[in-house]
Amino acid sequence: TNQERMFLVFTEWVKLLQRVPGDDVKVTVFIRQMIDKGVLNTTDNMIQFTKAALELSVGSFKESDPTSEVFIATDAFSKLIVNLLVLQDFAGMNRSEYLRLMISVITMVFSEDQGRMGNSFNERPYFRLISSLLCEWENISGHNFVKIQDQYYRSQLNEFTPEFYNIIASFLHVYQPIAFPGFSFAWITLISHRMFLPKMLRLPEKAGWSKLVLLFTDLLKFMAQYTKKNDVPDAVSVVYKGALRVFLAVANDSPDFLVENHYELLNHLPHVYMQLRNVILSAIPKDLAIPNPYDPNLRIDGVESCQDAPNVFYDPVQDLKSLKKPVDNYLRIPSTSLLRVISTNVFKQEFQKDNGIGYDTVSVDTKLINAIVLHVGVEAALEKHKTTANAIFNTKSSYYTLLASLLNDGTAEVRFHVVQAIANQLRYPNAHTQWFNYVLKNFFLEDWDADTAEIQEIIIRTLLERIVTNKPHCWGIIVTFTDLLKSPECSILTLPFVMDIPEVEMIIKNL
Amino acid sequence: TMPAEMASQLESSLLNCPDSLDADTPHLHHNTLSLPHPTSIFFPNET
Amino acid sequence: YGLKALLPLIRREDQSTEYDSSMTLGIDLTPVLHSLGIPSNQQSRHRVLDTFQSPWIETSRSEVEPRFFVPESFTNIPNVLQSGPQSPAFNSVQQDHAKISLFQDETLFYLFYKHPGTVVQELTYLELRKRNWRYHKTLKVWLTKDPMMEPVVAPGGASERGSYVFFDPQRWEKCQRDFVLFYNAIM
C-alpha cells in the first residue's frame, strides 16, 4: 500500500543516517530521489508521509529498550524535515506553508495519541522531535547559512528564519498546558530551549517578541488558573519553580525583553506571585548604571536616566477600548464629565474569582486600569519631552488629576488596583519611574477628606508588600518608600493604621 | 479547581519530564574514535 | 486591601496556613542564580540561555551541546597524526602509541574521560603514567608530584604526605593540594 511504501522510505532514511554523516552527499541524493520520484509530490502524500514517519518514530521510541538509543527515528525525522526545507526549490507551495502543513499533521497525530493514551501518554518523543528540529535548524543556519553555496538560496533561507521560529512558536501556543496538560513539562522545557528562547529574544527587529509574550502569558495564565492560595498542587508548584528559573535567566540575558513587556506579562501574573513580579519589574537595561537606592542623599530628580522614557513594546492604548477617546480627550482638555465616564467604566460585567493577598474576587477591570495608568504615564513622559517638566510635575496637570480622580471617586477596590498599577511603574530609574514617584508621593500627602487614611493605607500596603519579599526589590519602590519615610510632612509611624498593627509598625521602624 | 483528569495528566507529564539528555543535540552517525577495550574497573565508566 | 492583609505573610505562625510563602515572600534566590550560572556580581555577566539545560535543577544533570560552528577548513583535514585520508582512530594499543604521545596533558585527560571502555582510554592511561601522572582509584582523578616539595613517607611505608598537582575534570584545570597519598590507592 501507499502507506507501507512511506514506511519503507522513512526506514531507509533512518538507516542511511546511521551509516553516513549528516552532511554526506548521499543524504542530499536521497532527498533528491525522494522528490524526483514524487514521494511528496502532493499534499495528500505529504500528509500521509508525515503521519507514517511520526508514527514510526513514536512507535520506535515506545518499543525501544529505555537504556538504549530511543530517539534514532525521531532524530532522523527532524533531520528530514530540515533537509526538505533547505534542499527543495519552493515553486508551488512556499516554505512557510510547507512547514506549517507538516507541523499541523504532527499536531493531529500528537493530539490523537494524547487523547487515546490519556494518563499513559508519553510526551518525550514529541519533545525530542521539536528539540531536534531546533538543533538541526541551528546546525544548518549557522553564520547565515554559509553551508549553502548558492547565494540566492542562502538569502531566501535567511529571510525565512524568523518565520521558521515564529511557526514553531505558533504551534507551541497550540500545545499550551491548559490545552494539553499531559505535555506541560515538555512544553515549558521547549519554550526555554537553548535553541529557541535566545533565538526568539534576539531576532532582528524584535521579530520574536510578540510570540514570546504570548507563550509566557500562556504559562502565566495556566499558573494563575490553578494556583490556589493555600493549596497549590505539587505539580503546579514545580511549574512555578521552573518558570521562576526561566524568568531569572531571561532577566540576565535579555532584561530589555522584560523591561519592554512588563505590562502584558503582569496582566496575567497571579498577584500572589510577589517575588516573580519583582523579578520581572526589577529588570534593568544592560549597561545602565543605577545609583544606590538606599543612599540617603539620593534625589530622584537628579538621576540622569530619568530623562529617558522606557520603551513599551505593546502600546497599552490598544487595551483602553471604549475609554480611549475619553482618556485622550481628558488629557488634552480636562472636564468633569469625562472623568465621570472614566470612573464609572472601570468595572467588569460580573465578579470574578481571583487569588489576591487579602481578597478573593475582583469586580474591577484590572487590565483596563493597568492600561489607563500606563497610557497616562507614557503620555506624560511624551509631554515632558515636548514641553517642560512643569507640565507634568504639577498636581493640576490633567495627567495627575485623571489618576487622582480615579482614587477620589473610586471604591477601596478601585483605589487598590490603581495604586498597584502605579507601583508597577516604579522600576529602574527612568521617566516613568520619576513621574509615578511624584504622583504617589503627592497622593500620599494630599487631603482626601474622610478617605485620606484609607488611601494612605493602601499606598503603604502596596509599597510594603513589594519590600518585605525576598530580593530583588525594585529601585523605584525603595526610593519612593524612602521618600515617604523621610517626608517631614507626614510621619508614617504616627498613622493610626500603622500603630494598630505592631508587626507592621516594627517593620517600618526597622526600615 | 483543576479537574481530576487534568491533574493526573499533569502529574504524568511531571513524571515523564524531559531532561537535559533528551534536549541534547542529536548525533545519529557516531564516528567511533576507537574500538571497545576492557579497561580497569577503577576507570570512570560513564563519559 | 489594607495592611492587615499582609499579616499572614509577616506573622510567622500564620505563614504556612494561608499562603504558600515560597511564592509570595519568595525565597533567597542566590542558590537559584548560582544553579543558573549567573554570577552575583554584575561585572562578569554572560549569557546563560544559550547553554540552558532545563528549567529545573533536577533535570539538568548533564551539559547540553551549545550552538557552535565548525568552519570548512577545520573539517576533512588529511593526514592528521599520519593517518592518511581517514580521520585518526585509536584501535590498537601497539600501533597507536606514537600518536598518543603527541598530545598535550589536557587532551589526554579529555580522551580518558570522554571515551570509557575503549582502546583510547587505555592508551591515554599508559601515556599519562609515562608522564608521571598517577590515577587515583577512588577519587577517579589524576595526580602528579609537585616538583617543589618532597613528600614525607609515613612510618610503615603505606602512605606519604606531600604536595601534589591534581587535574580536576569538573573545573578542567590543574590545582595544587596537600594530600595524604596511600600507595594502594593509585595506579
Side-chain angles (χ1 to χ4, degrees):
Chain A
T1 64
N2 208 31
Q3 194 193 39
E4 282 166 345
R5 275 184 275 158
M6 300 292 190
F7 280 141
L8 260 172
V9 170
F10 181 67
T11 310
E12 284 301 298
W13 167 255
V14 176
K15 285 198 235 168
L16 175 65
L17 286 180
Q18 291 186 279
R19 283 167 175 68
V20 303
D23 53 1
D24 191 289
V25 68
K26 298 179 197 63
V27 168
T28 316
V29 170
F30 187 101
I31 300 285
R32 184 162 309 144
Q33 285 184 358
M34 264 184 83
I35 296 164
D36 290 346
K37 290 189 190 298
V39 176
L40 302 170
N41 64 346
T42 64
T43 310
D44 277 346
N45 275 350
M46 267 190 72
I47 292 170
Q48 193 163 39
F49 183 84
T50 307
K51 279 187 77 175
L54 185 55
E55 279 163 14
L56 270 182
S57 302
V58 174
S60 127
F61 163 81
K62 288 180 184 173
E63 283 151 33
S64 294
D65 173 3
T67 62
S68 73
E69 304 269 11
V70 299
F71 293 127
I72 293 177
T74 316
D75 289 346
F77 187 25
S78 299
K79 201 167 185 67
L80 180 64
I81 296 173
V82 169
N83 273 294
L84 288 171
L85 286 173
V86 168
L87 294 174
Q88 284 189 94
D89 188 355
F90 283 90
M93 190 191 258
N94 73 28
R95 247 182 213 95
S96 295
E97 284 165 11
Y98 198 86
L99 179 59
R100 273 187 203 281
L101 178 61
M102 292 192 93
I103 304 194
S104 297
V105 175
I106 291 167
T107 306
M108 266 170 38
V109 173
F110 163 86
S111 181
E112 258 174 21
D113 189 1
Q114 199 271 316
R116 195 177 49 241
M117 301 303 288
N119 290 348
S120 326
F121 173 72
N122 194 323
E123 61 201 325
R124 286 174 68 216
Y126 298 96
F127 167 84
R128 179 72 175 200
L129 181 68
I130 301 177
S131 170
S132 296
L133 188 60
L134 292 163
C135 291
E136 292 291 349
W137 188 259
E138 177 56 46
N139 185 24
I140 192 74
S141 62
H143 286 257
N144 295 318
F145 292 91
V146 71
K147 290 181 185 174
I148 308 292
Q149 287 189 342
D150 187 299
Q151 178 61 50
Y152 170 72
Y153 284 114
R154 207 185 305 156
S155 70
Q156 268 207 331
L157 288 164
N158 272 317
E159 253 179 58
F160 172 68
T161 286
E163 193 51 25
F164 173 84
Y165 288 104
N166 277 313
I167 291 171
I168 304 278
S170 295
F171 280 93
L172 286 175
H173 175 58
V174 169
Y175 297 130
Q176 64 178 288
I178 274 178
F180 292 99
F183 193 66
S184 299
F185 287 88
W187 186 87
I188 299 168
T189 312
L190 281 171
I191 66 168
S192 58
H193 198 285
R194 71 193 183 286
M195 305 289 189
F196 177 75
L197 182 52
K199 280 309 258 236
M200 290 288 279
L201 285 168
R202 302 203 292 263
L203 282 175
E205 284 150 47
K206 304 171 183 173
W209 279 22
S210 289
K211 285 269 178 340
L212 265 189
V213 171
L214 185 63
L215 292 172
F216 279 122
T217 55
D218 290 342
L219 176 60
L220 292 171
K221 272 196 235 177
F222 176 72
M223 283 159 51
Q225 182 99 349
Y226 298 113
T227 294
K228 283 149 73 171
K229 278 188 282 219
N230 56 353
D231 180 25
V232 181
D234 286 342
V236 175
S237 171
V238 179
V239 168
Y240 169 80
K241 289 198 176 87
L244 178 65
R245 278 179 99 244
V246 173
F247 275 108
L248 285 169
V250 173
N252 179 76
D253 285 25
S254 300
D256 290 304
F257 176 78
L258 297 179
V259 165
E260 297 191 33
N261 291 290
H262 77 301
Y263 164 77
E264 281 198 283
L265 292 171
L266 253 63
N267 271 337
H268 295 101
L269 181 66
H271 189 207
V272 289
Y273 291 151
M274 290 175 3
Q275 186 174 41
L276 182 53
R277 178 175 63 186
N278 274 347
V279 167
I280 293 170
L281 294 177
S282 309
I284 301 169
K286 273 186 184 170
D287 304 326
L288 183 69
I290 64 170
N292 178 5
Y294 297 101
D295 179 355
N297 299 319
L298 178 70
R299 273 183 56 254
I300 192 171
D301 297 330
V303 180
E304 201 183 313
S305 55
C306 287
Q307 298 307 313
D308 305 318
N311 274 339
V312 181
F313 183 67
Y314 173 88
D315 193 341
V317 78
Q318 300 171 67
D319 293 340
L320 290 178
K321 299 183 276 195
S322 61
L323 289 188
K324 180 184 185 314
K325 273 220 175 89
V327 167
D328 281 341
N329 286 344
Y330 180 87
L331 290 178
R332 270 200 325 270
I333 304 168
S335 89
T336 44
S337 60
L338 284 172
L339 280 181
R340 223 178 359 257
V341 168
I342 297 167
S343 292
T344 51
N345 279 293
V346 292
F347 293 94
K348 285 189 192 308
Q349 303 282 29
E350 44 195 26
F351 276 88
Q352 229 180 327
K353 282 189 135 186
D354 197 5
N355 279 317
I357 308 284
Y359 59 95
D360 285 323
T361 59
V362 64
S363 66
V364 153
D365 189 341
T366 51
K367 187 168 162 182
L368 179 59
I369 291 197
N370 290 339
I372 294 172
V373 167
L374 181 56
H375 177 63
V376 169
V378 167
E379 292 299 308
L382 283 172
E383 177 70 37
K384 173 179 146 192
H385 194 70
K386 269 192 305 213
T387 60
T388 67
N390 284 336
I392 63 164
F393 288 93
N394 177 349
T395 57
K396 303 228 184 325
S397 76
S398 55
Y399 305 93
Y400 182 90
T401 57
L402 190 154
L403 298 181
S405 84
L406 281 174
L407 245 58
N408 198 42
D409 303 339
T411 58
E413 186 187 11
V414 169
R415 289 168 176 167
F416 175 77
H417 289 292
V418 170
V419 169
Q420 287 282 338
I422 292 174
N424 289 345
Q425 314 313 323
L426 295 171
R427 300 187 290 159
Y428 71 94
N430 62 54
H432 293 183
T433 302
Q434 187 194 18
W435 188 68
F436 283 109
N437 163 278
Y438 169 83
V439 166
L440 209 57
K441 277 190 317 213
N442 279 282
F443 281 175
F444 188 79
L445 297 171
E446 202 168 296
D447 182 3
W448 305 91
D449 298 326
D451 297 328
T452 305
E454 180 177 280
I455 289 174
Q456 285 182 328
E457 185 175 355
I458 287 174
I459 292 174
I460 297 293
R461 176 256 164 91
T462 299
L463 294 174
L464 199 59
E465 79 180 18
R466 291 158 193 249
I467 297 180
V468 296
T469 57
N470 275 281
K471 285 182 180 173
H473 300 140
C474 294
W475 186 94
I477 297 284
I478 297 170
V479 167
T480 305
F481 199 65
T482 310
D483 285 346
L484 292 183
L485 285 173
K486 287 193 306 195
S487 166
E489 290 153 55
C490 174
S491 171
I492 295 184
L493 285 170
T494 61
L495 293 170
F497 56 80
V498 169
M499 293 184 346
D500 266 352
I501 309 177
E503 289 90 341
V504 169
E505 192 184 18
M506 177 76 80
I507 290 177
I508 294 179
K509 268 201 182 116
N510 285 335
L511 286 169
Chain B
T1 315
M2 192 181 284
E5 195 182 321
M6 187 185 208
S8 60
Q9 283 180 18
L10 185 63
E11 290 278 330
S12 155
S13 172
L14 173 55
L15 279 171
N16 286 319
C17 185
D19 65 15
S20 47
L21 289 170
D22 290 341
D24 207 359
T25 314
H27 290 295
L28 281 154
H29 172 245
H30 292 282
N31 238 328
T32 47
L33 189 60
S34 73
L35 292 177
H37 182 87
T39 51
S40 165
I41 52 163
F42 297 109
F43 289 175
N45 52 15
E46 261 186 10
T47 181
Chain C
Y1 302 111
L3 287 164
K4 288 205 174 67
L6 298 185
L7 279 175
L9 300 172
I10 302 169
R11 272 202 191 129
R12 294 268 133 197
E13 54 274 17
D14 289 349
Q15 248 173 39
S16 54
T17 53
E18 190 146 351
Y19 301 104
D20 183 332
S21 72
S22 70
M23 296 179 189
T24 50
L25 297 183
I27 54 172
D28 176 7
L29 292 178
T30 318
V32 183
L33 292 170
H34 182 75
S35 78
L36 286 164
I38 295 173
S40 42
N41 64 327
Q42 292 297 300
Q43 262 69 24
S44 53
R45 202 176 192 170
H46 63 272
R47 289 199 190 120
V48 300
L49 284 172
D50 295 297
T51 50
F52 196 63
Q53 295 161 1
S54 162
W56 300 275
I57 301 173
E58 294 84 350
T59 42
S60 300
R61 48 190 186 106
S62 57
E63 300 292 326
V64 284
E65 193 175 89
R67 177 176 318 125
F68 70 95
F69 179 76
V70 182
E72 196 61 43
S73 52
F74 275 58
T75 61
N76 302 317
I77 303 170
N79 218 25
V80 172
L81 297 175
Q82 294 128 35
S83 62
Q86 286 93 6
S87 303
F90 300 89
N91 292 332
S92 157
V93 174
Q94 285 92 345
Q95 287 172 18
D96 298 326
H97 247 125
K99 293 178 199 168
I100 275 289
S101 64
L102 299 172
F103 290 136
Q104 293 180 4
D105 293 353
E106 269 84 354
T107 312
L108 295 176
F109 292 129
Y110 170 78
L111 291 168
F112 177 83
Y113 285 107
K114 192 73 178 168
H115 300 280
T118 60
V119 169
V120 79
Q121 190 180 44
E122 183 73 22
L123 279 168
T124 53
Y125 165 77
L126 295 169
E127 180 62 24
L128 283 164
R129 275 192 57 94
K130 271 201 210 144
R131 300 185 194 184
N132 293 321
W133 288 87
R134 292 293 177 269
Y135 179 72
H136 197 287
K137 294 186 235 179
T138 27
L139 296 176
K140 299 200 187 299
V141 294
W142 288 88
L143 61 125
T144 189
K145 274 205 187 90
D146 182 347
M148 295 287 114
M149 281 200 56
E150 204 43 48
V152 175
V153 181
S159 68
E160 62 182 45
R161 173 184 253 302
S163 171
Y164 303 91
V165 174
F166 286 82
F167 185 78
D168 182 342
Q170 299 298 329
R171 296 167 63 160
W172 204 253
E173 58 184 18
K174 293 177 182 168
C175 52
Q176 177 270 327
R177 293 276 181 277
D178 290 332
F179 187 67
V180 174
L181 180 67
F182 281 83
Y183 299 128
N184 61 3
I186 54 168
M187 58 184 281

